[in-house]
């Protein structure tokens, strides 16, 4: 059966909430994120600010250069969470199959919905209307037959738009798309594809499954399928967190190995505390380093058994650090993340509580 998938994505989400709550920002270039005199980055910005070339993840210091009259505000997460809760409540009026990957977006499977004569386009329009009356914010909708294309579609008529990609249009649509625009192909993979001469969906489609598996590992299967407009991933309403971590940006770049190690120890304790609070156990530990020039590297280790103690994790971090250019490059951000998560009870032996600090 052909599915009916809707992807809803709010427009300039954090910035739109700020403009709604503080009307003096309406119509102005507004940046939400770090202050321009700090080392923070732009979380998002209003469409007025985007005209100046400002975008998410750009250093705020750069943003102010591009647009000196921009207004900078810090994020107010509680307000964004409340808006997010309101839109999810609206989604639930249409289907139980809702997967929200982040605060401002969600996939809805409305294949079995009977409202609006079962038309996904009418449902999307209805949802958009309700979002605006309830939250005074706008969102854009993508309607298609799988998650991959619905996500692409929601971006095509932004802001406050609605875009349909039919099963007939899907494959041709993917062909013209630059691989960098594919959701699921990150910056590093994009680079690698470009180096292999794969620039568009059409190029990707011309690659054999074997070649993609060889070059990219298991995810090559996904690339092979999406190049044909095929994506069978279900809308997963019970998704558990796959990873989480903590990170820290420094006011001043650091390169002293001892200091770096100390910061990692600190981050590790925080990350392990979070694991403990959520009663989770991890088998994979990853360190993340962003150098002063924004080059980002990660190094990780996966063990057969859960990582239960601080000394054990510290040792792994020390090992992973050996695989970096420790001491020879300036660093602006460090992070520690855990993944391959399981519930603690799945491996807790004899009902004994996890002994993090032994
Ligand atoms: P996006 O949906 O990517 O961006 P947006 O909603 O601000 O704008 P658009 O109209 O293009 O959808 O992200 C949603 C929110 O997530 C965004 O408002 C702020 C936050 N965010 C960050 O904090 N850092 C980031 O790098 C990105 C991309 C988003
Ligand atoms: Mg958005």
């Amino acid at each position: 059966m052909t599915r009916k998938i809707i992807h809803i994505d709010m427009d300039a989400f954090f910035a739109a909430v700020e403009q709604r709550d503080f009307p003096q920002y309406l119509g102005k270039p507004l940046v939400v994120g770090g202050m321009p005199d700090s080392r923070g980055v732009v979380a998002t910005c209003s469409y007025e600010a985007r005209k100046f070339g400002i975008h998410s993840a750009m250093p705020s210091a750069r943003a102010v250069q591009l647009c000196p009259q921009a207004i900078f505000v810090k994020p107010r997460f509680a307000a964004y969470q409340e808006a997010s809760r309101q839109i999810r409540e609206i989604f639930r009026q249409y289907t139980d199959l809702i997967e929200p990957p982040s605060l401002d977006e969600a996939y809805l499977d409305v294949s079995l919905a009977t409202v609006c004569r079962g038309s996904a386009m009418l449902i999307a329009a209805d949802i958009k209307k309700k979002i605006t009356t309830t939250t005074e914010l706008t969102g854009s909708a993508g309607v298609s037959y799988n998650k991959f294309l619905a996500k692409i579609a929601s971006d095509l008529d932004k802001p406050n738009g609605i875009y349909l990609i039919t099963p007939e249009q899907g494959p041709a649509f993917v062909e013209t798309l630059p691989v960098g625009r594919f959701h699921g192909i990150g910056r590093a993979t994009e680079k690698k594809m470009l180096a292999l001469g794969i620039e568009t969906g059409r190029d990707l489609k011309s690659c054999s499954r074997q070649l993609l598996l060889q070059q990219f590992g298991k995810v090559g299967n996904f690339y092979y399928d999406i190049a044909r407009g095929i994506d069978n991933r279900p809308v997963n309403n019970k998704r558990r967190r796959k990873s989480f971590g903590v990170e820290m940006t420094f006011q001043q770049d650091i390169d002293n190995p001892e200091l770096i190690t100390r910061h990692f120890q600190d981050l590790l304790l925080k990350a392990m505390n979070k694991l403990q609070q959520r009663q989770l156990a991890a088998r994979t530990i990853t360190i993340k380093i962003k150098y002063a020039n924004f080059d980002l590297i990660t190094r990780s280790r996966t063990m057969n058994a859960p990582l239960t103690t601080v000394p054990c994790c510290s040792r792994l971090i020390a090992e992973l650090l050996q695989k970096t250019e420790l001491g020879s490059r300036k660093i602006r951000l460090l992070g520690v993340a855990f993944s391959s998560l399981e519930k603690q009870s799945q491996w807790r032996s004899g009902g004994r509580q996890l002994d993090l600090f032994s």
Side-chain angles (χ1 to χ4, degrees):
M1 185 189 76
T2 309
R3 291 181 297 162
K4 298 176 196 168
I5 310 292
I6 301 174
H7 181 254
I8 303 273
D9 187 293
M10 300 297 287
D11 304 322
F13 186 48
F14 293 4
V17 172
E18 297 304 325
Q19 288 182 320
R20 175 195 68 184
D21 295 349
F22 302 93
Q24 63 268 35
Y25 301 149
L26 280 168
K28 303 249 168 72
L30 178 73
V31 175
V32 183
M35 290 299 120
D37 57 355
S38 77
R39 295 168 49 89
V41 295
V42 175
T44 192
C45 61
S46 65
Y47 278 74
E48 293 85 356
R50 294 183 193 195
K51 290 189 198 132
F52 294 86
I54 302 176
H55 57 75
S56 294
M58 167 184 283
S60 298
R62 170 93 185 109
V64 75
Q65 283 175 353
L66 290 172
C67 178
Q69 71 271 36
I71 302 165
F72 286 78
V73 298
K74 295 212 174 104
R76 293 180 305 130
F77 289 103
Y80 315 145
Q81 269 157 358
E82 172 57 15
S84 184
R85 193 192 58 73
Q86 288 177 308
I87 60 171
R88 285 176 196 178
E89 211 162 274
I90 294 170
F91 301 153
R92 270 195 289 275
Q93 298 169 15
Y94 298 85
T95 176
D96 293 328
L97 274 180
I98 303 163
E99 177 181 342
S102 72
L103 281 183
D104 100 314
E105 63 175 320
Y107 295 98
L108 283 65
D109 185 329
V110 296
S111 305
L112 300 177
T114 50
V115 283
C116 302
R117 291 179 275 134
S119 155
M121 280 299 273
L122 291 179
I123 292 176
D126 222 40
I127 289 176
K128 271 167 49 56
K129 219 183 312 162
K130 279 198 188 145
I131 287 178
T132 306
T133 37
T134 313
T135 67
E136 297 173 53
L137 302 167
T138 63
S140 298
V143 178
S144 198
Y145 56 100
N146 61 42
K147 282 163 67 172
F148 179 74
L149 287 167
K151 168 102 184 168
I152 288 173
S154 70
D155 215 28
L156 292 176
D157 192 24
K158 253 184 185 298
N160 199 11
I162 181 161
Y163 198 99
L164 168 72
I165 300 179
T166 65
E168 291 72 38
Q169 296 163 336
F173 213 96
V174 181
E175 284 200 2
T176 58
L177 214 62
V179 289
R181 290 284 307 278
F182 279 57
H183 188 69
I185 295 184
R187 285 280 284 280
T189 308
E190 181 191 3
K191 254 191 183 167
K192 188 165 172 186
M193 287 192 174
L194 293 180
L196 290 165
I198 307 170
E199 289 174 16
T200 63
R202 186 173 299 116
D203 300 335
L204 192 61
K205 198 174 180 176
S206 72
C207 299
S208 69
R209 193 184 283 276
Q210 195 194 354
L211 173 87
L212 293 174
L213 286 171
Q214 213 171 14
Q215 290 292 336
F216 303 101
K218 233 173 84 181
V219 68
N221 276 321
F222 177 67
Y223 299 153
Y224 183 86
D225 286 345
I226 57 173
R228 287 152 184 79
I230 299 170
D231 171 14
N232 292 321
R233 290 172 304 168
V235 172
N236 186 351
N237 54 352
K238 289 193 202 68
R239 187 155 75 166
R240 275 205 247 122
R241 254 191 115 128
K242 287 201 175 116
S243 75
F244 66 82
V246 288
E247 50 186 60
M248 172 172 191
T249 305
F250 303 106
Q251 281 300 320
Q252 252 142 35
D253 297 330
I254 59 170
D255 61 359
N256 177 324
E258 245 170 68
L259 187 60
I260 291 167
T261 305
R262 220 169 331 123
H263 280 304
F264 266 125
Q265 187 67 14
D266 195 39
L267 289 166
L268 172 65
L269 291 179
K270 285 190 183 135
M272 288 196 97
N273 252 324
K274 283 193 171 185
L275 267 186
Q276 179 76 292
Q277 274 167 21
R278 292 171 174 76
Q279 305 208 326
L280 290 170
R283 284 189 302 107
T284 302
I285 185 166
T286 303
I287 61 168
K288 171 169 162 184
I289 298 178
K290 196 185 267 176
Y291 292 109
N293 69 346
F294 282 84
D295 277 354
L296 181 73
I297 61 157
T298 58
R299 298 286 179 266
S300 52
R301 262 302 282 283
T302 299
M303 311 301 277
N304 289 326
L307 298 157
T308 56
T309 69
V310 172
C312 157
C313 292
S314 299
R315 233 174 5 252
L316 289 175
I317 289 177
E319 275 177 42
L320 293 170
L321 267 175
Q322 292 310 310
K323 299 187 200 166
T324 70
E325 294 159 273
L326 185 62
S328 60
R329 287 181 77 177
K330 291 263 186 209
I331 290 172
R332 65 174 276 136
L333 173 149
L334 296 177
V336 172
F338 285 111
S339 51
S340 314
L341 302 175
E342 303 161 10
K343 272 278 172 212
Q344 270 180 25
S345 54
Q346 286 174 359
W347 55 271
R348 205 164 54 193
S349 62
R352 195 167 53 90
Q353 247 301 336
L354 173 66
D355 189 10
L356 277 185
F357 298 95
S358 63

